[in-house]
């Protein structure tokens, strides 16, 4: 266990010059809104800084600015070359600030610094995302169609046009990545934006907003409001908003979907999951599969990642070997100071979520699953933070609540299977459909099972989201896709122009 020093987090705050947060509206940093709230660090439960609760008044001002910038501004109509020339320096500015962004992200949510710097949610990946979408700007094309009948001289062509004002609402767990996944494509397509980060993690996003504030984006094209659920609701229901792009919990996603209809807002919803990874006896190495799956739950954000496979469906013949290697992996977990490069795992984000995770450990035991290890809280230096030792349940039945509900903590549930068809049936017997995993060396099986899994994406012997490939969910895991051309479609409307050449 790495020693937990409160002073390391407070020192990082001071070193990084963190100041109380402001709103960024119509090209200016502003005070105001409807009061302030504290951001607490989950590793020590001490206040890091405060942010403004924008509330309805702050949201009204930000949406009005974004509306003006869209309806009257140059941004939606700018030539591709000009829009590109404004986004490209933002790419370089994010690359240049990647270390600071990483430290701020660790100060936000306790993500171990090695992951925040080098992982798939780093500032570098955010810069890659901006680079990828800046590259699309001059390639967003429409279509032309052959004439359907010869009776008219009408010709049909389509354009992809920006949707309008986008409300982007992001979660606490990957603030840097989710910011880039929404802002970069929305801007590339010519939309204007009001972004609201999670009230639990606003620092890294404030830095990214500052980079945009220093760019040549016209005023009102990008706006930042901070706040909790009330501010989120004011934004997602605002009549001046044309599209909501939301990443967060299914409960909030469903609420947004039910209130978005009043002016037919477009929606992208990236929600939770209860993903399954299927480990077949022909996997190249049971040790690798067990370490990967246990590692996804026990290191990095300690299972607080939407796509984490939290149900390991393991063939009965390799079950004992799997559990043995999972236990070995957990011995390498180091909880503690998130700024220590030796630390492997994050605390649970809040006291409330900590209680939820501990509650699920009790539920699992009560339902009859066997807790092989973990699920308790470390004491000593870590007693003040929201820490939980990674847990492994075996003898799990897919009908148990621990197999059906998103726990969002360091808990892996192992479910045995005998036949491939059973594994597919169990994997698909879920309210969610975000991601899936398959461990096998049989290419035919890999293809067959990947096609049969009812999820938005599937990883065969590995999984990672990239800027140029789509990801997203089906069922309760969401609506729409983010990544590559799929996002361009999410942030544009198709307009058909009919041209009569006989007139
Ligand atoms: P959350 O739903 O509690 O909060 C997400 C955002 O919604 C925050 O900014 C919050 O302030 C805001 N919000 C809360 N109530 C709102 C309301 N009524 N109207 C509008 N906005 C509101 O989620 P969280 O705890 O920040 O994040 C964890 C969840 O996000 C998990 O379920 C996880 O699976 C999911 N997630 C999904 C993806 C994905 O790509 N599919 C990625 C990361 C996280």
């Amino acid at each position: 266990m790495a020693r937990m020093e409160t002073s390391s987090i407070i020192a990082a705050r001071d070193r990084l010059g963190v100041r109380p947060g402001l709103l960024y509206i119509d090209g200016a940093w502003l005070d105001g809104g409807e009061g302030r709230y504290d951001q607490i660090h989950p590793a020590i439960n001490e206040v890091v800084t405060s942010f403004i609760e924008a509330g309805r008044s702050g949201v009204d001002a930000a949406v009005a600015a974004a509306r003006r910038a869209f309806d009257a501004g140059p941004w939606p109509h700018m030539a591709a070359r000009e829009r590109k020339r404004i986004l490209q320096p933002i790419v370089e500015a994010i690359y240049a600030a990647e270390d600071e962004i990483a430290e701020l992200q660790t100060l936000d949510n306790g993500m171990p610094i090695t992951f925040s710097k080098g992982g798939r949610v780093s500032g570098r990946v955010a810069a890659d995302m901006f680079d990828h979408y800046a590259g699309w700007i001059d390639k967003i094309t429409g279509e032309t169609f052959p004439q359907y009948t010869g009776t008219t001289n009408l010709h049909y062509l389509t354009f992809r046009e920006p949707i309008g004002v986008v409300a982007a609402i992001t979660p606490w767990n990957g603030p840097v990545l989710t910011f880039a996944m929404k802002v970069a494509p929305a801007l590339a397509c010519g939309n204007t934006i009001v972004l609201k980060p999670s009230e639990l993690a606003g620092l890294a996003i404030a830095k990214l907003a500052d980079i945009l504030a220093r760019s040549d984006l016209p005023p009102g094209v990008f706006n930042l409001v901070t706040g909790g659920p009330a501010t989120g609701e004011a934004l997602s229901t605002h009549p001046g908003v044309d599209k909501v792009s939301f990443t967060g919990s299914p409960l909030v996603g469903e609420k947004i979907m039910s209130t978005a209809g009043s002016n037919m807002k477009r929606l992208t919803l990236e929600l939770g999951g209860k993903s399954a990874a299927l480990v077949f006896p022909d996997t190249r190495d049971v040790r690798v599969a067990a370490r990967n799956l246990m590692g996804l739950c026990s290191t990095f954000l300690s299972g607080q990642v939407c796509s984490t496979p939290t149900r390991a469906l393991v063939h009965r013949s390799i079950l004992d070997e799997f559990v043995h290697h999972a236990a070995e992996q957990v011995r390498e977990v180091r909880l503690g100071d998130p700024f220590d490069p030796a630390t492997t795992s994050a605390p649970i984000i809040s006291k409330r979520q900590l209680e939820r995770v501990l509650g699920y450990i009790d539920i699992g035991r009560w339902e009859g699953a066997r807790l092989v290890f973990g699920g308790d809280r470390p004491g000593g230096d870590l007693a003040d933070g929201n820490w939980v030792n990674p847990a492994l349940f075996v003898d799990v039945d897919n009908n148990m609540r621990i197999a059906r509900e998103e726990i969002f903590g360091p808990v892996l549930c192992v479910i045995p299977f005998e036949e491939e068809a059973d594994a597919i049936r169990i994997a698909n017997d879920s309210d969610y459909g975000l991601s899936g995993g398959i461990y096998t060396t049989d290419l035919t099986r890999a293809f067959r099972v990947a096609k049969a899994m009812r999820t938005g994406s599937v990883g065969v012997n590995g999984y990672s989201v990239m800027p140029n490939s789509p990801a997203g969910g089906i069922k309760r895991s969401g609506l729409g896709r983010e990544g590559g051309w799929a996002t361009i479609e999410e942030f544009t409307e198709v307009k058909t122009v009919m041209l009569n050449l006989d007139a």
Side-chain angles (χ1 to χ4, degrees):
M1 190 183 294
R3 223 183 120 64
M4 186 66 245
E5 296 279 4
T6 304
S7 57
S8 127
I9 288 160
I10 301 306
R13 177 190 71 184
D14 296 342
R15 184 176 69 250
L16 292 161
V18 168
R19 288 194 298 263
L22 296 172
L23 309 178
Y24 182 70
I25 297 175
D26 211 11
W29 287 100
L30 306 170
D31 214 330
E34 299 171 6
R36 282 193 165 267
Y37 61 91
D38 289 333
Q39 184 173 305
I40 313 278
H41 199 283
I44 54 172
N45 280 310
E46 286 196 22
V47 174
V48 175
T49 190
S50 73
F51 285 94
I52 295 172
E53 184 73 48
R56 188 160 291 282
S57 60
V59 166
D60 279 347
V63 172
R67 195 73 266 166
R68 273 194 305 278
F70 187 80
D71 294 338
W75 187 248
H77 315 290
M78 207 174 259
R81 178 171 174 271
E82 300 313 311
R83 202 184 288 153
K84 232 174 144 172
R85 283 167 66 95
I86 292 176
L87 282 202
Q88 278 162 340
I90 294 175
V91 178
E92 294 313 316
I94 299 176
Y95 277 131
E98 65 175 298
D99 282 349
E100 187 184 348
I101 292 169
E103 292 202 77
L104 288 167
Q105 183 162 244
T106 294
L107 201 52
D108 266 329
N109 61 18
M111 185 187 298
I113 192 68
T114 35
F115 288 96
S116 202
K117 274 200 165 131
R120 58 196 164 106
V121 292
S122 64
R124 174 162 289 255
V125 175
D128 289 346
M129 204 65 84
F130 272 83
D131 185 44
H132 175 73
Y133 286 106
W136 269 115
I137 294 174
D138 57 3
K139 299 167 193 73
I140 302 173
T141 53
E143 294 174 290
T144 56
F145 303 87
Q147 276 190 291
Y148 196 78
T149 69
T151 53
T152 67
N153 201 7
L154 269 175
H155 295 264
Y156 293 74
L157 52 154
T158 59
F159 293 86
R160 284 206 166 265
E161 299 187 336
I163 294 176
V165 174
V166 172
I169 301 178
T170 57
W172 65 267
N173 62 344
V176 172
L177 178 70
T178 46
F179 176 96
M181 281 179 99
K182 297 185 188 311
V183 174
L187 290 180
C189 294
N191 300 283
T192 61
I193 305 174
V194 179
L195 182 127
K196 191 202 84 63
S198 165
E199 65 278 23
L200 303 174
L203 293 167
I205 284 188
K207 173 67 192 175
L208 289 162
D210 193 47
I211 290 174
L212 266 59
R214 290 167 193 272
S215 74
D216 289 333
L217 282 175
V221 170
F222 171 80
N223 305 275
L224 177 77
V225 293
T226 50
T231 297
E233 192 169 340
L235 180 58
S236 63
T237 56
H238 200 290
V241 165
D242 300 301
K243 160 151 188 139
V244 180
S245 175
F246 172 80
T247 301
S249 60
L251 270 180
V252 176
E254 282 161 357
K255 198 168 176 189
I256 289 175
M257 192 160 183
S258 68
T259 52
S262 59
N263 66 336
M264 213 52 86
K265 288 181 178 52
R266 276 54 182 146
L267 289 179
T268 306
L269 302 171
E270 298 288 347
L271 310 177
K274 193 71 194 180
S275 299
L278 282 51
V279 188
F280 290 97
D282 58 14
T283 183
R284 187 161 53 83
D285 190 343
V286 178
R287 179 175 176 273
V288 171
R291 290 179 67 85
N292 276 356
L293 294 176
M294 194 66 234
L296 287 168
C297 286
S298 66
T299 65
F300 180 34
L301 281 167
S302 300
Q304 301 169 98
V305 176
C306 54
S307 57
T308 299
T310 49
R311 292 182 295 153
L313 275 51
V314 182
H315 192 268
R316 206 176 279 284
S317 65
I318 51 172
L319 198 57
D320 291 345
E321 200 183 345
F322 182 94
V323 171
H324 166 77
H325 290 302
E328 289 289 309
Q329 187 282 327
V330 160
R331 271 191 255 289
E332 293 163 24
V333 165
R334 294 285 173 276
L335 308 181
D337 180 355
F339 287 95
D340 181 343
T343 298
T344 60
S345 315
I348 304 301
I349 189 63
S350 64
K351 282 188 172 167
R352 194 165 139 244
Q353 177 59 16
L354 172 68
E355 292 310 317
R356 226 176 93 88
V357 172
L358 296 174
Y360 274 112
I361 302 288
D362 288 342
I363 289 169
R365 282 207 195 95
W366 182 81
E367 287 179 310
R370 184 161 62 86
L371 184 64
V372 182
F373 53 74
D376 54 335
R377 299 201 55 209
D381 290 336
L382 301 181
D384 291 336
N386 310 326
W387 300 95
V388 179
N389 288 316
L392 182 76
F393 275 113
V394 295
D395 301 336
V396 177
D397 183 284
N398 199 49
N399 289 318
M400 293 176 180
R401 281 183 65 190
I402 56 168
R404 303 204 75 81
E405 297 173 18
E406 187 181 43
I407 298 175
F408 229 51
V411 184
L412 181 62
C413 295
V414 178
I415 304 174
F417 71 87
E418 306 274 0
E419 303 292 335
E420 179 185 301
D422 289 336
I424 294 169
R425 183 185 49 74
I426 296 167
N428 289 343
D429 178 13
S430 173
D431 294 339
Y432 296 99
L434 191 57
S435 67
I438 303 167
Y439 287 86
T440 181
T441 46
D442 179 342
L443 188 60
T444 313
R445 185 204 294 274
F447 192 74
R448 189 171 58 228
V449 177
K451 295 271 286 173
M453 286 180 87
R454 297 266 300 131
T455 56
S457 59
V458 179
V460 178
N461 300 322
Y463 186 96
S464 195
V465 172
M466 293 293 163
N468 60 353
S469 65
I474 62 170
K475 301 196 262 182
R476 274 198 96 199
S477 293
L479 192 68
R481 295 291 178 271
E482 286 187 335
W485 172 253
T487 318
I488 301 293
E489 292 185 339
E490 298 281 339
F491 282 108
T492 51
E493 298 277 14
V494 173
K495 177 186 280 173
T496 306
V497 173
M498 301 161 202
L499 211 56
N500 183 358
L501 297 185
D502 283 342

